PDB file of all heavy atoms in Angstrom:
ATOM      1  N   ALA J 107     -11.848   5.337 -40.235  1.00 96.00           N
ATOM      2  CA  ALA J 107     -10.842   4.306 -39.985  1.00 96.00           C
ATOM      3  C   ALA J 107     -11.439   2.914 -40.112  1.00 96.00           C
ATOM      4  O   ALA J 107     -10.797   1.992 -40.626  1.00 96.00           O
ATOM      5  CB  ALA J 107     -10.237   4.503 -38.595  1.00 96.00           C
ATOM      6  N   GLU J 108     -12.683   2.763 -39.682  1.00 96.00           N
ATOM      7  CA  GLU J 108     -13.322   1.448 -39.703  1.00 96.00           C
ATOM      8  C   GLU J 108     -13.597   0.983 -41.134  1.00 96.00           C
ATOM      9  O   GLU J 108     -13.306  -0.157 -41.484  1.00 96.00           O
ATOM     10  CB  GLU J 108     -14.619   1.482 -38.898  1.00 96.00           C
ATOM     11  CG  GLU J 108     -15.308   0.141 -38.762  1.00 96.00           C
ATOM     12  CD  GLU J 108     -14.529  -0.893 -37.951  1.00 96.00           C
ATOM     13  OE1 GLU J 108     -13.517  -0.519 -37.324  1.00 96.00           O
ATOM     14  OE2 GLU J 108     -14.935  -2.066 -37.952  1.00 96.00           O
ATOM     15  N   PHE J 109     -14.159   1.862 -41.999  1.00 93.00           N
ATOM     16  CA  PHE J 109     -14.425   1.371 -43.350  1.00 93.00           C
ATOM     17  C   PHE J 109     -13.132   1.236 -44.150  1.00 93.00           C
ATOM     18  O   PHE J 109     -13.041   0.428 -45.082  1.00 93.00           O
ATOM     19  CB  PHE J 109     -15.516   2.184 -44.070  1.00 93.00           C
ATOM     20  CG  PHE J 109     -15.099   3.458 -44.737  1.00 93.00           C
ATOM     21  CD1 PHE J 109     -14.311   3.458 -45.878  1.00 93.00           C
ATOM     22  CD2 PHE J 109     -15.557   4.692 -44.273  1.00 93.00           C
ATOM     23  CE1 PHE J 109     -13.959   4.645 -46.513  1.00 93.00           C
ATOM     24  CE2 PHE J 109     -15.211   5.868 -44.914  1.00 93.00           C
ATOM     25  CZ  PHE J 109     -14.404   5.835 -46.030  1.00 93.00           C
ATOM     26  N   HIS J 110     -12.112   1.993 -43.767  1.00 94.00           N
ATOM     27  CA  HIS J 110     -10.809   1.792 -44.413  1.00 94.00           C
ATOM     28  C   HIS J 110     -10.264   0.406 -44.043  1.00 94.00           C
ATOM     29  O   HIS J 110      -9.757  -0.334 -44.913  1.00 94.00           O
ATOM     30  CB  HIS J 110      -9.826   2.873 -43.978  1.00 94.00           C
ATOM     31  CG  HIS J 110      -8.569   2.914 -44.787  1.00 94.00           C
ATOM     32  ND1 HIS J 110      -7.548   2.004 -44.611  1.00 94.00           N
ATOM     33  CD2 HIS J 110      -8.168   3.728 -45.804  1.00 94.00           C
ATOM     34  CE1 HIS J 110      -6.579   2.261 -45.466  1.00 94.00           C
ATOM     35  NE2 HIS J 110      -6.926   3.293 -46.201  1.00 94.00           N
ATOM     36  N   LYS J 111     -10.404   0.038 -42.785  1.00 95.00           N
ATOM     37  CA  LYS J 111      -9.911  -1.257 -42.309  1.00 95.00           C
ATOM     38  C   LYS J 111     -10.706  -2.410 -42.901  1.00 95.00           C
ATOM     39  O   LYS J 111     -10.125  -3.451 -43.290  1.00 95.00           O
ATOM     40  CB  LYS J 111      -9.997  -1.287 -40.780  1.00 95.00           C
ATOM     41  CG  LYS J 111      -9.612  -2.609 -40.148  1.00 95.00           C
ATOM     42  CD  LYS J 111      -9.792  -2.532 -38.633  1.00 95.00           C
ATOM     43  CE  LYS J 111      -9.471  -3.869 -37.959  1.00 95.00           C
ATOM     44  NZ  LYS J 111      -9.676  -3.792 -36.488  1.00 95.00           N
ATOM     45  N   ARG J 112     -12.033  -2.264 -42.969  1.00 95.00           N
ATOM     46  CA  ARG J 112     -12.898  -3.370 -43.364  1.00 95.00           C
ATOM     47  C   ARG J 112     -13.135  -3.462 -44.866  1.00 95.00           C
ATOM     48  O   ARG J 112     -13.620  -4.495 -45.345  1.00 95.00           O
ATOM     49  CB  ARG J 112     -14.257  -3.237 -42.654  1.00 95.00           C
ATOM     50  CG  ARG J 112     -14.181  -3.184 -41.142  1.00 95.00           C
ATOM     51  CD  ARG J 112     -13.669  -4.484 -40.556  1.00 95.00           C
ATOM     52  NE  ARG J 112     -13.623  -4.415 -39.089  1.00 95.00           N
ATOM     53  CZ  ARG J 112     -13.151  -5.375 -38.320  1.00 95.00           C
ATOM     54  NH1 ARG J 112     -12.676  -6.494 -38.861  1.00 95.00           N
ATOM     55  NH2 ARG J 112     -13.123  -5.234 -37.007  1.00 95.00           N
ATOM     56  N   TRP J 113     -12.831  -2.393 -45.607  1.00 95.00           N
ATOM     57  CA  TRP J 113     -13.111  -2.403 -47.045  1.00 95.00           C
ATOM     58  C   TRP J 113     -11.884  -2.048 -47.871  1.00 95.00           C
ATOM     59  O   TRP J 113     -11.364  -2.874 -48.626  1.00 95.00           O
ATOM     60  CB  TRP J 113     -14.268  -1.453 -47.383  1.00 95.00           C
ATOM     61  CG  TRP J 113     -14.495  -1.286 -48.843  1.00 95.00           C
ATOM     62  CD1 TRP J 113     -14.603  -2.284 -49.784  1.00 95.00           C
ATOM     63  CD2 TRP J 113     -14.632  -0.059 -49.555  1.00 95.00           C
ATOM     64  NE1 TRP J 113     -14.806  -1.752 -51.036  1.00 95.00           N
ATOM     65  CE2 TRP J 113     -14.832  -0.386 -50.928  1.00 95.00           C
ATOM     66  CE3 TRP J 113     -14.632   1.280 -49.175  1.00 95.00           C
ATOM     67  CZ2 TRP J 113     -15.010   0.586 -51.904  1.00 95.00           C
ATOM     68  CZ3 TRP J 113     -14.802   2.245 -50.155  1.00 95.00           C
ATOM     69  CH2 TRP J 113     -14.994   1.907 -51.498  1.00 95.00           C
ATOM     70  N   ILE J 114     -11.385  -0.838 -47.725  1.00 94.00           N
ATOM     71  CA  ILE J 114     -10.313  -0.371 -48.597  1.00 94.00           C
ATOM     72  C   ILE J 114      -9.058  -1.234 -48.460  1.00 94.00           C
ATOM     73  O   ILE J 114      -8.369  -1.511 -49.448  1.00 94.00           O
ATOM     74  CB  ILE J 114      -9.999   1.115 -48.319  1.00 94.00           C
ATOM     75  CG1 ILE J 114     -11.210   1.978 -48.696  1.00 94.00           C
ATOM     76  CG2 ILE J 114      -8.759   1.570 -49.088  1.00 94.00           C
ATOM     77  CD1 ILE J 114     -11.062   3.443 -48.394  1.00 94.00           C
ATOM     78  N   SER J 115      -8.768  -1.699 -47.256  1.00 94.00           N
ATOM     79  CA  SER J 115      -7.565  -2.510 -47.048  1.00 94.00           C
ATOM     80  C   SER J 115      -7.640  -3.846 -47.781  1.00 94.00           C
ATOM     81  O   SER J 115      -6.611  -4.497 -48.000  1.00 94.00           O
ATOM     82  CB  SER J 115      -7.339  -2.755 -45.552  1.00 94.00           C
ATOM     83  OG  SER J 115      -8.361  -3.569 -45.008  1.00 94.00           O
ATOM     84  N   PHE J 116      -8.853  -4.278 -48.164  1.00 94.00           N
ATOM     85  CA  PHE J 116      -9.020  -5.545 -48.881  1.00 94.00           C
ATOM     86  C   PHE J 116      -8.945  -5.373 -50.399  1.00 94.00           C
ATOM     87  O   PHE J 116      -8.924  -6.375 -51.129  1.00 94.00           O
ATOM     88  CB  PHE J 116     -10.352  -6.191 -48.511  1.00 94.00           C
ATOM     89  CG  PHE J 116     -10.385  -6.781 -47.128  1.00 94.00           C
ATOM     90  CD1 PHE J 116     -10.872  -6.044 -46.060  1.00 94.00           C
ATOM     91  CD2 PHE J 116      -9.920  -8.068 -46.886  1.00 94.00           C
ATOM     92  CE1 PHE J 116     -10.910  -6.583 -44.781  1.00 94.00           C
ATOM     93  CE2 PHE J 116      -9.948  -8.614 -45.618  1.00 94.00           C
ATOM     94  CZ  PHE J 116     -10.438  -7.876 -44.555  1.00 94.00           C
ATOM     95  N   LEU J 117      -8.942  -4.141 -50.888  1.00 94.00           N
ATOM     96  CA  LEU J 117      -8.819  -3.923 -52.328  1.00 94.00           C
ATOM     97  C   LEU J 117      -7.424  -4.331 -52.786  1.00 94.00           C
ATOM     98  O   LEU J 117      -6.452  -4.223 -52.032  1.00 94.00           O
ATOM     99  CB  LEU J 117      -9.089  -2.455 -52.664  1.00 94.00           C
ATOM    100  CG  LEU J 117     -10.525  -1.982 -52.418  1.00 94.00           C
ATOM    101  CD1 LEU J 117     -10.609  -0.466 -52.556  1.00 94.00           C
ATOM    102  CD2 LEU J 117     -11.504  -2.659 -53.370  1.00 94.00           C
ATOM    103  N   ASP J 118      -7.320  -4.769 -54.019  1.00 91.00           N
ATOM    104  CA  ASP J 118      -6.050  -5.349 -54.479  1.00 91.00           C
ATOM    105  C   ASP J 118      -4.975  -4.309 -54.776  1.00 91.00           C
ATOM    106  O   ASP J 118      -3.844  -4.665 -55.117  1.00 91.00           O
ATOM    107  CB  ASP J 118      -6.267  -6.241 -55.694  1.00 91.00           C
ATOM    108  CG  ASP J 118      -6.869  -5.510 -56.878  1.00 91.00           C
ATOM    109  OD1 ASP J 118      -6.822  -4.257 -56.917  1.00 91.00           O
ATOM    110  OD2 ASP J 118      -7.384  -6.198 -57.785  1.00 91.00           O
ATOM    111  N   GLY J 119      -5.306  -3.045 -54.691  1.00 80.00           N
ATOM    112  CA  GLY J 119      -4.277  -2.013 -54.808  1.00 80.00           C
ATOM    113  C   GLY J 119      -4.095  -1.425 -56.186  1.00 80.00           C
ATOM    114  O   GLY J 119      -3.352  -0.455 -56.368  1.00 80.00           O
ATOM    115  N   ARG J 120      -4.785  -1.986 -57.174  1.00 80.00           N
ATOM    116  CA  ARG J 120      -4.645  -1.430 -58.525  1.00 80.00           C
ATOM    117  C   ARG J 120      -5.206  -0.014 -58.600  1.00 80.00           C
ATOM    118  O   ARG J 120      -4.634   0.861 -59.237  1.00 80.00           O
ATOM    119  CB  ARG J 120      -5.354  -2.341 -59.535  1.00 80.00           C
ATOM    120  CG  ARG J 120      -4.597  -3.633 -59.838  1.00 80.00           C
ATOM    121  CD  ARG J 120      -5.406  -4.546 -60.713  1.00 80.00           C
ATOM    122  NE  ARG J 120      -6.563  -5.091 -59.991  1.00 80.00           N
ATOM    123  CZ  ARG J 120      -7.469  -5.896 -60.531  1.00 80.00           C
ATOM    124  NH1 ARG J 120      -7.369  -6.231 -61.805  1.00 80.00           N
ATOM    125  NH2 ARG J 120      -8.467  -6.352 -59.818  1.00 80.00           N
ATOM    126  N   THR J 121      -6.331   0.186 -57.949  1.00 84.00           N
ATOM    127  CA  THR J 121      -6.925   1.524 -57.872  1.00 84.00           C
ATOM    128  C   THR J 121      -7.481   1.720 -56.473  1.00 84.00           C
ATOM    129  O   THR J 121      -7.781   0.753 -55.765  1.00 84.00           O
ATOM    130  CB  THR J 121      -8.064   1.707 -58.898  1.00 84.00           C
ATOM    131  OG1 THR J 121      -9.092   0.731 -58.649  1.00 84.00           O
ATOM    132  CG2 THR J 121      -7.548   1.566 -60.323  1.00 84.00           C
ATOM    133  N   LYS J 122      -7.612   2.973 -56.062  1.00 92.00           N
ATOM    134  CA  LYS J 122      -8.178   3.304 -54.768  1.00 92.00           C
ATOM    135  C   LYS J 122      -9.262   4.371 -54.958  1.00 92.00           C
ATOM    136  O   LYS J 122      -9.165   5.221 -55.842  1.00 92.00           O
ATOM    137  CB  LYS J 122      -7.105   3.846 -53.820  1.00 92.00           C
ATOM    138  CG  LYS J 122      -6.028   2.832 -53.438  1.00 92.00           C
ATOM    139  CD  LYS J 122      -6.582   1.734 -52.544  1.00 92.00           C
ATOM    140  CE  LYS J 122      -5.459   0.802 -52.085  1.00 92.00           C
ATOM    141  NZ  LYS J 122      -5.972  -0.319 -51.270  1.00 92.00           N
ATOM    142  N   PRO J 123     -10.292   4.341 -54.109  1.00 96.00           N
ATOM    143  CA  PRO J 123     -11.334   5.363 -54.205  1.00 96.00           C
ATOM    144  C   PRO J 123     -10.874   6.690 -53.620  1.00 96.00           C
ATOM    145  O   PRO J 123      -9.920   6.741 -52.843  1.00 96.00           O
ATOM    146  CB  PRO J 123     -12.470   4.770 -53.373  1.00 96.00           C
ATOM    147  CG  PRO J 123     -11.765   3.941 -52.350  1.00 96.00           C
ATOM    148  CD  PRO J 123     -10.570   3.357 -53.057  1.00 96.00           C
ATOM    149  N   SER J 124     -11.558   7.752 -53.988  1.00 97.00           N
ATOM    150  CA  SER J 124     -11.360   9.044 -53.331  1.00 97.00           C
ATOM    151  C   SER J 124     -12.208   9.046 -52.062  1.00 97.00           C
ATOM    152  O   SER J 124     -13.414   8.798 -52.120  1.00 97.00           O
ATOM    153  CB  SER J 124     -11.789  10.191 -54.248  1.00 97.00           C
ATOM    154  OG  SER J 124     -10.979  10.245 -55.393  1.00 97.00           O
TER     155      SER J 124
END
Side-chain angles (χ1 to χ4, degrees):
E108 185 66 10
F109 83 70
H110 192 283
K111 176 182 178 181
R112 303 295 181 184
W113 173 49
I114 295 176
S115 67
F116 287 94
L117 293 170
D118 60 18
R120 285 174 291 178
T121 60
K122 295 291 185 183
S124 296

